[in-house]
Structure formats: C-alpha cells, structure tokens
Amino acid sequence: MKGLVGLRTNQSLTEILSSGNWNRFLLNNGRGKAYGVEVLLEKSSGRFNGFVGYTWSRSWRKFDAINGGDWTPFVYDRPHDLEAVLNFRLNNRWSFHTGFVYQRGQPMTSPTAYVRRMDGSSEPVYTRLLNDRLPDIHRLDIMIEYEYRTIGKRPKSAKLSFGVYNIYGRANPIGVAFRSFSAGSSGADVPLFHSATYQTLFRFVPIFNYSINW
C-alpha cells in the first residue's frame, strides 16, 4: 500500500479534532503491508458439529516521521486469532452451544520515561508510537436452547435460550490509563510512583433470548 495517511501523535481523535488545527497531526505518503494465512476445520452435519478457525496475520505501517522511519505494527495488527464453536443436539428440543475466542493483544503506546517537574508532578515521555501491546483477549461463551411448538389452532415454532457471555469472567482490556501519584504531599523531594490500569467491559454477562416464528 502507498500514499497512506497517519497520525504523528498519541492523542485521541477527540483531542485532535478539538485542537482546531487537526491538519498538523496528519502524516502523508505512508507505506503499508499486510499478509497472513487462515485455516478452518469444520464439521457441519450430525448431532455434534462445529468448527475451529485460526488466523495468523500481520499489518504494518511506515512513515518517515514515526519511529525513525521503521516499520511499525498497525493499530489493528493482531498476529494470532483463534475461534472455536462446538454444537451438540441432545434431541429435537434441547441443544448446547459453546464458543471460545482468543486474540493477540492490540498494539498500544506506552510511555518510556517520565519527566519530573519542579512542582513534584510528572509528564510522560513517548519516544515511540505503538511500542507495546495490550494483554491477550480470550473468553468462553455457553448457550442452552430449548425448541418447541406453541399451543393453539396455529402452532408456531419457538425457541428459548439461556447462556453466559465470558463465563469465567476474564477481564479483557480495551484500553489502558497511565497514572502518576506520590507517597505523600506534593513536592519535588517526594517519590513518585507510576501505574497502568487496564480498562475492561462485560466481564460476566448472562444471556436470555426468546424467539418465535410467525
């Protein structure tokens, strides 16, 4: 890929647009490359069926003004992606479904140092963009379905489903917040500590669904 547009900063899109001069954050004439391979094993018939799919892929970007002109993982670069779905039909009414997902962590930018101010506060220093990764993502979902026909002169097909999203409560991160704090009152002589807190969503979610075919 040629002629790509990128950002020269670690700021969010909201901060860039609110600056009033967002063009100064843009980079032009970037290069990119993407490649990978996908393997799928599937059993589509029988009481026990499902599939296992694995994807290995890479996505890179290169701008002269970013990371010294080195090839850098794109923000959506995830080398490993595994998905498995297994279904089992016990009889004409009951069926069980489970799905497992694993993904390599998304690239992110971490500070490489902190500069201490005279007032005791600190400022993060970013020497490279997308120099780190979020932790890997994985979860297990389960679902139990009950199918039946409604009562009446015109019976209809209906389905009742119960399940759990992320049954073992994995705290999959979607972002990270860096924070600096001191052990006591503020001041240049007070030691500073730095922490990274991962932001997560939907750790353990019950699922209920009812559908009917008219």
Side-chain angles (χ1 to χ4, degrees):
M1 293 168 279
K2 297 181 180 180
L4 299 179
V5 177
L7 295 175
R8 65 170 73 244
T9 177
N10 189 46
Q11 291 176 284
S12 67
L13 183 60
T14 302
E15 293 173 326
I16 293 173
L17 294 178
S18 62
S19 67
N21 186 18
W22 56 270
N23 282 316
R24 63 188 177 92
F25 296 104
L26 294 181
L27 294 173
N28 298 314
N29 299 321
R31 297 170 57 193
K33 56 184 178 180
Y35 49 88
V37 61
E38 182 176 86
V39 178
L40 177 68
L41 301 176
E42 182 178 14
K43 184 180 184 295
S44 57
S45 61
R47 295 174 60 187
F48 180 82
N49 60 76
F51 70 86
V52 178
Y54 170 75
T55 302
W56 177 83
S57 62
R58 301 307 308 266
S59 182
W60 303 86
R61 294 292 186 270
K62 181 181 177 68
F63 292 90
D64 292 338
I66 293 181
N67 296 344
D70 297 334
W71 284 100
T72 302
F74 190 42
V75 65
Y76 298 116
D77 176 72
R78 283 184 170 174
H80 304 290
D81 191 320
L82 174 68
E83 184 175 357
V85 173
L86 300 177
N87 307 304
F88 177 71
R89 177 167 288 277
L90 181 62
N91 49 45
N92 292 333
R93 293 193 173 186
W94 291 97
S95 60
F96 303 88
H97 312 274
T98 181
F100 177 77
V101 174
Y102 168 83
Q103 291 180 334
R104 186 75 164 88
Q106 185 174 340
M108 57 167 284
T109 302
S110 293
T112 53
Y114 287 86
V115 176
R116 188 70 176 264
R117 297 193 183 100
M118 294 299 296
D119 62 358
S121 62
S122 67
E123 180 74 18
V125 177
Y126 298 93
T127 56
R128 293 182 66 88
L129 291 178
L130 300 175
N131 61 340
D132 205 350
R133 283 186 182 271
L134 290 170
D136 296 350
I137 291 174
H138 57 83
R139 74 173 196 272
L140 177 66
D141 308 328
I142 63 170
M143 179 76 72
I144 301 174
E145 292 185 339
Y146 177 73
E147 301 178 41
Y148 68 98
R149 294 188 65 83
T150 60
I151 300 175
K153 295 182 179 180
R154 297 181 179 179
K156 301 173 179 60
S157 298
K159 182 185 297 185
L160 191 61
S161 304
F162 303 91
V164 179
Y165 172 93
N166 193 12
I167 189 171
Y168 53 77
R170 164 72 174 177
N172 289 311
I174 61 172
V176 60
F178 297 99
R179 188 170 67 93
S180 301
F181 58 95
S182 61
S185 58
S186 61
D189 57 342
V190 177
L192 273 180
F193 301 91
H194 309 284
S195 66
T197 303
Y198 294 115
Q199 301 162 333
T200 62
L201 288 175
F202 308 123
R203 292 190 58 176
F204 181 89
V205 181
I207 302 171
F208 172 79
N209 180 66
Y210 176 76
S211 61
I212 184 170
N213 296 327
W214 295 92

